Amino acid sequence: MSGSAAGRSWLPVALAIAITLPGLALRLGLFAASEPVRALLFGVTIVGAAFLLSWAAEVVQLDISQGLALALLALIAILPEYIVDATFAWLAAEDPAYAGYAVANMTGANRLLIGLAWPMVIAIVWLRTRQRSVTLGPNNGLELIALLAATAYAFILPFKGNLSLVDCAVLVAIFLVYVWRLTRLPAGEPHLVGPAQTIGALPEGRRRGVTAVLAIAAAAMVLLVAKPFATALVSTGTEFGIDQFLLVQWLAPLASEAPEFVVVGIFAWRAAGEAALGTVVSSKVNQWTLLVGMLPLVYAVALGAPTPLPLDQRQQQEILLTAAQSLFAVALLLDRRLSMV
């Protein structure tokens, strides 16, 4: 790779770091801002950090099996989503209203994946290759089994009226079995693009060092701004008379999942439709197991007691709708094929 080409490959990394700086400066008290501006700057910081995390996660594919790598990629890429949602669940111990926002963020994130990311893969593949469908690999059947199991259990949650530590145990168990099975699958050649490809081309020692620094620094950034982002977003809804539940449900997940959409879009554009679809399906498994299961655990820790996270009627309906969408998605992929018709 020429010097100019290498420089261009590192430019997105520099830009991702640069857009995190205003939010970090605000968080450190270097200047003051109104609630809407705080929400915007903290949200942009999360976007930048999420890009760094997604590139680090892609490079990890060079060191582990392909199936486990895709699961890890999906898990790390949506780490900001976990941190933001955990923040809402933690705040719910102080203010019960935040319990609704935790559910809003979780259901919005799950519905965005299926409602936008899955169709996006098909649309981009068709624009690029005129293929009208994308087929998952034989090993991806494991994701569908895990997704079906989590979806079946999710239908129970609205009728219980809460999320408890028992739900956490069941959903985490589904995820752990899923990951254990992934570790037994054969390795494969990863599809690295853009900055991930540049980092992956480094000598092994430098590659692992850069990957670790990017992942740790990005995770620290998200942890630093997650709480003020959550509170500023709710305050912004109050200030402008916008339904806070809807604002959290759709805006917060867009900020934290934007990089994943970009990565998946690049996979699809480069005709790696199987990898693109496999990544978003794996992300759905992660969110429908760990993300949901994490909420009652964080809430119980914040309270200092094994108290279930309560669900009001609206939250129950949102979970039921999300579960129905997940069941429909599994039905679409029973033949491991997603098509335009």
Side-chain angles (χ1 to χ4, degrees), residues 76-333:
I76 297 178
I78 61 174
L79 181 62
E81 182 66 40
Y82 281 76
I83 295 175
V84 171
D85 219 3
T87 300
F88 281 121
W90 187 273
L91 290 171
E94 305 171 8
D95 182 353
Y98 279 91
Y101 303 142
V103 173
N105 190 56
M106 176 270 290
T107 54
N110 274 280
R111 298 217 291 262
L112 276 174
L113 269 179
I114 293 177
L116 287 183
W118 291 25
M120 182 188 74
V121 170
I122 295 297
I124 294 177
V125 168
W126 179 81
L127 286 172
R128 187 64 169 167
T129 67
R130 287 302 186 265
Q131 294 179 3
R132 300 175 66 86
S133 66
V134 174
T135 302
L136 290 171
N139 293 332
N140 292 120
L142 180 59
E143 277 88 351
L144 297 181
I145 295 173
L147 183 54
L148 180 59
T151 299
Y153 188 80
F155 275 104
I156 301 173
L157 303 178
F159 301 100
K160 289 171 63 269
N162 61 59
L163 292 173
S164 69
L165 293 180
V166 173
D167 303 322
C168 172
V170 171
L171 293 170
V172 171
I174 293 172
F175 177 77
L176 291 178
V177 171
Y178 161 62
V179 171
W180 174 72
R181 291 292 300 167
L182 283 178
T183 61
R184 304 172 67 86
L185 297 179
E189 187 67 24
H191 300 275
L192 300 184
V193 295
Q197 186 178 38
T198 302
I199 298 169
L202 295 173
E204 183 176 300
R206 289 179 59 193
R207 182 188 80 219
R208 292 180 175 177
V210 170
T211 301
V213 169
L214 286 180
I216 294 171
M221 292 176 192
V222 179
L223 284 169
L224 190 63
V225 304
K227 183 175 180 179
F229 172 67
T231 55
L233 195 60
V234 173
S235 298
T236 298
T238 302
E239 183 173 334
F240 287 99
I242 303 172
D243 187 318
Q244 293 99 326
F245 189 97
L246 292 178
L247 190 65
V248 170
Q249 188 173 43
W250 300 114
L251 191 57
L254 276 177
S256 54
E257 294 195 16
E260 184 174 13
F261 278 65
V262 173
V263 169
V264 168
I266 293 174
F267 280 167
W269 185 254
R270 296 199 172 188
E274 179 183 329
L277 187 57
T279 299
V280 291
V281 172
S282 187
S283 292
K284 174 62 180 176
V285 173
N286 283 319
Q287 290 194 355
W288 211 212
T289 53
L290 279 188
L291 184 61
V292 181
M294 170 197 68
L295 298 181
L297 177 62
V298 173
Y299 181 70
V301 171
L303 276 179
T307 305
L309 180 69
L311 301 174
D312 63 24
Q313 185 176 10
R314 182 177 189 178
Q315 295 156 29
Q316 293 169 23
Q317 292 171 350
E318 292 291 340
I319 292 178
L320 187 61
L321 178 59
T322 307
Q325 185 202 42
S326 296
L327 185 60
F328 175 69
V330 172
L332 290 179
L333 288 176

